[in-house]
Amino acid sequence: MAKYYLLLPLLGFALTLLCTDFASAAIVEHWFNVQNLTVNRLCKEQVITAVNGRFPGPTLTVREGDTLIVHVFNKSPNNLAIHWHGVSGLSPWADGPSMITQCPIRTGHNYTYKFNITKHEGTLFWHAHDAWLRATVFGAIIVRPRLGHSYPFPKPYREVPILLGEWWNISIIEAERLTLESGGPPIVNDAYFINGLLGDTYPCSVDQMFRLNVKQGKTYLLRIVNTGLDNNLFFKIANHSMTVVGIDGAYTTPYVTDVLMVALGQTTDVLVTANQPVGSYYMASSLYDTIPLPGENTTTRGLIVYEGANPSVAPSVPVLPDSHDTNTTHRFQSNLTGLPGSPHFLPVPLEVNERMFVTTGLALIPCPPSYTCNNGIMGNALSSSMNNKSFVPPRGLSMMEAFYYNVSGIYTTDFPDNPPKVFDYVNTSISFDQSLIFTERSTSVKKLKFNSTVEVVLQDTAIVTLGNHHPIHLHGFSFHVLAQGFGNYDPVRDSPKFNLINPPYRNTVLVPTGGWTVVRFRADNPGVWFVHCHLDSHMSWGMAMAFVVENGPTPATRASPPPPDLPKC
């Protein structure tokens, strides 16, 4: 359910006529009822947590500059919070990650999120940010240009959200519990889906397949989101090319390709023209993982059906890349660039105030007393870390409240700028090095001066195993992706490769398997901002940290007070 209110500026009707930017801003209001929903998938009924009785949840459509208000009523048996993935510039009180910027919304309680969506156009999404509930609690956010403004490409005939993700044949809460208690790899999903439908490659799913009806000659804007928990996904349409025009709520230089690789937490906007002979064509999505777990490597399919197609003729089938195809993945991810001159294009800040080198990877911790670790390594539990710090969320008070009220003991400010040891990061001979494999559990942050420019090198490691490609998501900000490569990052060799002209502008970046990525952003929003791997198993194991951006010098550059209905722990 949604309401829209036009915001007329206070500068007079004449000025309104002259400035459509003012007149186009609106308040868009939604109500989310989060509760149990029974659905039928893979030949069985299953109870999931869902919003407004829908799976996926509702799509929120706004224009750039609008204010979004979402009233969340938690009628489910699980505590949760909602995160507005990729929305930058919002108050941290509205960001949503549980125990970082708020305590979760308890069962039977409610909370209202209110924030502006500015300097974004394209596709973002929202999802639960507590436990693994985002497996079923999610939906798209479509940000269109303000009234009177247009896309930097021809207007499509129709816009279609394509939400990719995973399906488990057991409760996702149970899957998380079993994974953590076992100390080993995550419980493998049973299927993938397109818009919540598994498609005809899975049992009892022939009639549960997403279908897009098209008209020959028309161009469609597909807004593709990887909403999954643990898998980066290829996407392809039989016999059709796609033109990438946007990623993560920002425009890109048009890039023509026949295959996408959308990492967890990423969005990709593509134009597809129905320029093939009248017929039916499969769209399909499958796994990219250099070390897939048994059972992960399956395919979900949907249909593109041309008007007038003969239903008795079998659809054309796309040939997807092999699940280990790192070359295709890297080529796609590294060939995307920003679009200079497009709305909200932001030049790269050239002066850097803070430099960090952050290793990402798996690790071990001694088996906790409540775990069995029957699937762990050498009697230990799998963990993960950034710079050998494995993040543990606080209890009793959120980190944002501790920041705002200056409460000590909730977090420490000792997150290191560099790993504690320098080693040959991607050399597989160090995978079980006893001096490297164990990590330290902590709730540590990196403090940043307001408006400082931060450059972070994200370096993959071979600890435990090489091949865990990590999609790293930064809350509250987007960043420029300056360069990516393989091996150990070398500033002398690799900094000349930086794209300082038109790098992609993202909120989630894939660290290449056995490689590195360099990102840069300006810390111009005070508060506590979570940074984590968007593989939920790895985040649960501790591949996370937080930036604390200090208050600025004026009231307008200081963190706002918490809303009166902020949930209590």
Side-chain angles (χ1 to χ4, degrees), residues 458-477:
L458 297 163
Q459 172 71 59
D460 187 25
T461 66
I463 297 173
V464 179
T465 181
L466 187 67
N468 285 278
H469 33 270
H470 307 296
I472 302 298
H473 173 50
L474 171 59
H475 286 231
F477 302 91

Side-chain angles (χ1 to χ4, degrees), residues 348-364:
V348 180
L350 300 180
E351 182 179 345
V352 177
N353 308 111
E354 294 273 2
R355 298 182 189 274
M356 301 177 68
F357 184 93
V358 178
T359 53
T360 63
L362 293 177
L364 297 180

Side-chain angles (χ1 to χ4, degrees), residues 284-368:
S285 180
S286 64
L287 172 74
Y288 165 62
D289 191 337
T290 54
I291 310 176
L293 296 171
E296 279 187 322
N297 195 11
T298 63
T299 299
T300 180
R301 299 197 301 204
L303 274 176
I304 290 182
V305 181
Y306 280 60
E307 185 176 71
N310 184 345
S312 65
V313 177
S316 299
V317 181
V319 178
L320 287 154
D322 184 83
S323 63
H324 301 77
D325 194 340
T326 293
N327 288 335
T328 293
T329 293
H330 182 67
R331 181 168 59 250
F332 174 75
Q333 292 270 322
S334 62
N335 275 340
L336 301 175
T337 56
L339 182 60
S342 63
H344 322 299
F345 177 81
L346 187 67
V348 180
L350 300 180
E351 182 179 345
V352 177
N353 308 111
E354 294 273 2
R355 298 182 189 274
M356 301 177 68
F357 184 93
V358 178
T359 53
T360 63
L362 293 177
L364 297 180
I365 56 172
C367 188

Side-chain angles (χ1 to χ4, degrees), residues 18-55:
L18 293 173
C19 187
T20 57
D21 280 1
F22 289 153
S24 68
I27 294 174
V28 181
E29 193 167 12
H30 285 262
W31 285 259
F32 279 10
N33 289 303
V34 186
Q35 56 196 57
N36 285 347
L37 174 69
T38 300
V39 296
N40 195 309
R41 297 289 188 277
L42 295 181
C43 315
K44 63 175 285 190
E45 287 191 342
Q46 185 163 310
V47 176
I48 64 172
T49 304
V51 173
N52 295 353
R54 298 167 60 180
F55 172 66

Side-chain angles (χ1 to χ4, degrees), residues 132-164:
W132 290 9
L133 289 171
R134 72 178 172 92
T136 57
V137 180
F138 62 85
I141 302 174
I142 294 175
V143 186
R144 296 197 174 111
R146 294 183 185 230
L147 289 173
H149 295 235
S150 61
Y151 297 126
F153 48 80
K155 183 179 178 180
Y157 177 73
R158 184 181 167 197
E159 302 178 19
V160 184
I162 303 290
L163 277 60
L164 309 176

Side-chain angles (χ1 to χ4, degrees), residues 256-554:
V256 179
T257 179
D258 69 340
V259 64
L260 313 177
M261 205 300 294
V262 188
L264 287 156
Q266 290 185 338
T267 73
T268 305
D269 294 341
V270 298
L271 295 174
V272 178
T273 300
N275 56 8
Q276 296 301 301
V278 170
S280 298
Y281 301 84
Y282 279 117
M283 63 174 74
S285 180
S286 64
L287 172 74
Y288 165 62
D289 191 337
T290 54
I291 310 176
L293 296 171
E296 279 187 322
N297 195 11
T298 63
T299 299
T300 180
R301 299 197 301 204
L303 274 176
I304 290 182
V305 181
Y306 280 60
E307 185 176 71
N310 184 345
S312 65
V313 177
S316 299
V317 181
V319 178
L320 287 154
D322 184 83
S323 63
H324 301 77
D325 194 340
T326 293
N327 288 335
T328 293
T329 293
H330 182 67
R331 181 168 59 250
F332 174 75
Q333 292 270 322
S334 62
N335 275 340
L336 301 175
T337 56
L339 182 60
S342 63
H344 322 299
F345 177 81
L346 187 67
V348 180
L350 300 180
E351 182 179 345
V352 177
N353 308 111
E354 294 273 2
R355 298 182 189 274
M356 301 177 68
F357 184 93
V358 178
T359 53
T360 63
L362 293 177
L364 297 180
I365 56 172
C367 188
S370 60
Y371 290 9
T372 64
C373 293
N374 58 357
N375 205 21
I377 296 175
M378 299 180 293
N380 300 291
L382 274 176
S383 184
S384 59
S385 70
M386 303 178 81
N387 276 355
N388 208 42
K389 295 276 190 178
S390 186
F391 184 83
V392 179
R395 295 183 178 182
L397 192 70
S398 73
M399 297 171 70
M400 183 59 199
E401 289 174 280
F403 165 77
Y404 186 82
Y405 293 112
N406 196 27
V407 178
S408 61
I410 302 299
Y411 59 80
T412 62
T413 56
D414 59 350
F415 186 86
D417 289 342
N418 296 282
K421 292 184 178 181
V422 175
F423 56 98
D424 188 356
Y425 304 110
V426 297
N427 187 336
T428 55
S429 68
I430 59 93
S431 293
F432 292 93
D433 186 321
Q434 294 296 300
S435 69
L436 300 172
I437 199 169
F438 287 92
T439 184
E440 174 188 346
R441 290 167 67 78
S442 67
T443 308
S444 57
V445 307
K446 165 69 176 179
K447 291 183 72 173
L448 299 173
K449 296 290 186 184
F450 176 79
N451 218 32
S452 59
T453 296
V454 187
E455 182 177 290
V456 184
V457 178
L458 297 163
Q459 172 71 59
D460 187 25
T461 66
I463 297 173
V464 179
T465 181
L466 187 67
N468 285 278
H469 33 270
H470 307 296
I472 302 298
H473 173 50
L474 171 59
H475 286 231
F477 302 91
S478 291
F479 46 70
H480 293 98
V481 183
L482 302 185
Q484 303 177 60
F486 294 97
N488 295 325
Y489 175 76
D490 181 337
V492 175
R493 178 195 64 204
D494 296 323
S495 60
K497 304 173 185 176
F498 286 5
N499 179 355
L500 301 176
I501 306 301
N502 64 340
Y505 197 51
R506 309 208 73 139
N507 60 66
T508 305
V509 67
L510 187 71
V511 179
T513 298
W516 50 269
T517 294
V518 182
V519 303
R520 189 180 293 180
F521 70 99
R522 177 160 288 143
D524 55 3
N525 195 358
V528 180
W529 302 103
F530 203 31
V531 186
H532 63 91
C533 179
H534 224 261
L535 279 76
D536 267 34
S537 59
H538 291 204
M539 184 176 69
S540 297
W541 291 333
M543 192 179 295
M545 52 87 68
F547 287 118
V548 170
V549 179
E550 297 176 345
N551 284 312
T554 67

Side-chain angles (χ1 to χ4, degrees), residues 43-358:
C43 315
K44 63 175 285 190
E45 287 191 342
Q46 185 163 310
V47 176
I48 64 172
T49 304
V51 173
N52 295 353
R54 298 167 60 180
F55 172 66
T59 295
L60 309 183
T61 301
V62 299
R63 292 188 179 275
E64 193 273 328
D66 285 353
T67 296
L68 187 59
I69 299 175
V70 183
H71 308 281
V72 179
F73 297 85
N74 185 10
K75 302 175 183 179
S76 82
N78 306 295
N79 295 342
L80 56 80
I82 303 294
H83 170 51
W84 316 98
H85 185 108
V87 179
S88 61
L90 78 174
S91 163
W93 303 111
D95 189 46
S98 181
M99 299 313 301
I100 310 302
T101 62
Q102 68 170 91
C103 298
I105 307 168
R106 292 173 290 165
T107 300
H109 290 72
N110 60 279
Y111 180 53
T112 295
Y113 294 92
K114 181 179 180 180
F115 53 93
N116 296 328
I117 298 185
T118 59
K119 300 181 180 178
H120 290 296
E121 290 179 24
T123 307
L124 304 171
F125 71 114
W126 58 267
H127 61 79
H129 212 296
D130 200 294
W132 290 9
L133 289 171
R134 72 178 172 92
T136 57
V137 180
F138 62 85
I141 302 174
I142 294 175
V143 186
R144 296 197 174 111
R146 294 183 185 230
L147 289 173
H149 295 235
S150 61
Y151 297 126
F153 48 80
K155 183 179 178 180
Y157 177 73
R158 184 181 167 197
E159 302 178 19
V160 184
I162 303 290
L163 277 60
L164 309 176
E166 304 130 333
W167 181 261
W168 279 261
N169 235 352
I170 62 172
S171 157
I172 196 63
I173 299 297
E174 182 71 358
E176 180 183 24
R177 184 187 67 79
L178 291 172
T179 294
L180 296 179
E181 289 183 359
S182 76
I187 300 292
V188 173
N189 59 290
D190 296 282
Y192 300 102
F193 61 71
I194 297 174
N195 288 345
L197 301 172
L198 310 188
D200 61 357
T201 62
Y202 298 108
C204 304
S205 303
V206 171
D207 296 327
Q208 295 184 344
M209 181 159 56
F210 174 70
R211 175 185 173 116
L212 174 60
N213 296 318
V214 301
K215 294 184 177 183
Q216 193 175 41
K218 300 294 186 180
T219 297
Y220 296 78
L221 176 60
L222 305 187
R223 298 179 175 275
I224 301 167
V225 186
N226 186 343
T227 70
L229 295 188
D230 275 316
N231 295 293
N232 304 305
L233 296 169
F234 290 114
F235 179 84
K236 195 170 184 179
I237 302 172
N239 299 2
H240 289 73
S241 64
M242 297 172 280
T243 301
V244 180
V245 293
I247 52 173
D248 291 6
Y251 293 115
T252 62
T253 302
Y255 176 68
V256 179
T257 179
D258 69 340
V259 64
L260 313 177
M261 205 300 294
V262 188
L264 287 156
Q266 290 185 338
T267 73
T268 305
D269 294 341
V270 298
L271 295 174
V272 178
T273 300
N275 56 8
Q276 296 301 301
V278 170
S280 298
Y281 301 84
Y282 279 117
M283 63 174 74
S285 180
S286 64
L287 172 74
Y288 165 62
D289 191 337
T290 54
I291 310 176
L293 296 171
E296 279 187 322
N297 195 11
T298 63
T299 299
T300 180
R301 299 197 301 204
L303 274 176
I304 290 182
V305 181
Y306 280 60
E307 185 176 71
N310 184 345
S312 65
V313 177
S316 299
V317 181
V319 178
L320 287 154
D322 184 83
S323 63
H324 301 77
D325 194 340
T326 293
N327 288 335
T328 293
T329 293
H330 182 67
R331 181 168 59 250
F332 174 75
Q333 292 270 322
S334 62
N335 275 340
L336 301 175
T337 56
L339 182 60
S342 63
H344 322 299
F345 177 81
L346 187 67
V348 180
L350 300 180
E351 182 179 345
V352 177
N353 308 111
E354 294 273 2
R355 298 182 189 274
M356 301 177 68
F357 184 93
V358 178

